[in-house]
Amino acid sequence: QVQLVESGGGLVQPGGSLRLSCVASGSIFSANLMGWYRQAPGEQRELVATIASDGRTNYAEGVKGRFTISRDSAKNTVFLQMNSLESEDTAVYYCNMWVRTSFAEYDSNYWGQGTQVTVSS
C-alpha cells in the first residue's frame, strides 16, 4: 500500500557531501515521524536522525553538526543532508516512516529498500 523510495546515495571522498531523499507513495493520509537509519557491514542497523511532524529533530551523537534532516510534508518526502562525510559513515542508509493510510485507525511503519553510501578516497 505504501512504498518508500530512496535516492541520492553514491561514492564520495572523505570530507564531501551527499543529499539523500526518500519519497513515500500510496494511499497516504498523513506521514508522521520520519527518519533515517543506516547499517554497515557486520553491524546492526542504527538510528541516524528523525524528524517529527512538528519539525522536532533528533540525531545520533556521531552525526550531530554534520548531518541535517528535513522534510516536505506536503510531498511526503524526507531528506538527509550529509556534510563532512567520514569513512565511518559508509553504510546502507534506510528511510523509515510512520504513516497513516487512508481509512486506517493507527499509523503503520514502513521502510525503504536502502541506498548505499560509500565514503572513500
Side-chain angles (χ1 to χ4, degrees):
Q1 269 187 321
V2 175
Q3 288 188 326
L4 274 56
V5 178
E6 300 114 333
S7 60
L11 173 65
V12 63
Q13 292 185 343
S17 298
L18 282 175
R19 188 181 192 227
L20 305 183
S21 301
C22 174
V23 180
S25 62
S27 301
I28 298 171
F29 176 74
S30 63
N32 300 310
L33 185 67
M34 300 180 177
W36 290 94
Y37 292 72
R38 66 187 181 187
Q39 187 168 18
E43 301 291 332
Q44 290 188 334
R45 193 172 298 187
E46 64 177 8
L47 170 73
V48 176
T50 61
I51 183 166
S53 54
D54 63 3
R56 287 178 297 162
T57 58
N58 178 53
Y59 293 93
E61 284 297 323
V63 306
K64 283 182 179 179
R66 299 189 299 122
F67 291 9
T68 302
I69 190 170
S70 61
R71 63 189 285 164
D72 184 338
S73 295
K75 297 181 179 179
N76 297 321
T77 302
V78 63
F79 306 96
L80 186 68
Q81 177 66 43
M82 304 185 292
N83 299 327
S84 302
L85 282 160
E86 305 168 352
S87 57
E88 292 77 13
D89 296 316
T90 295
V92 178
Y93 283 70
Y94 295 91
C95 172
N96 179 270
M97 292 190 190
W98 285 92
V99 175
R100 181 75 57 90
T101 56
S102 302
F103 308 112
E105 295 182 356
Y106 48 85
D107 294 357
S108 295
N109 192 246
Y110 296 90
W111 290 92
Q113 81 287 354
T115 185
Q116 177 70 47
V117 171
T118 303
V119 184
S120 175
S121 55

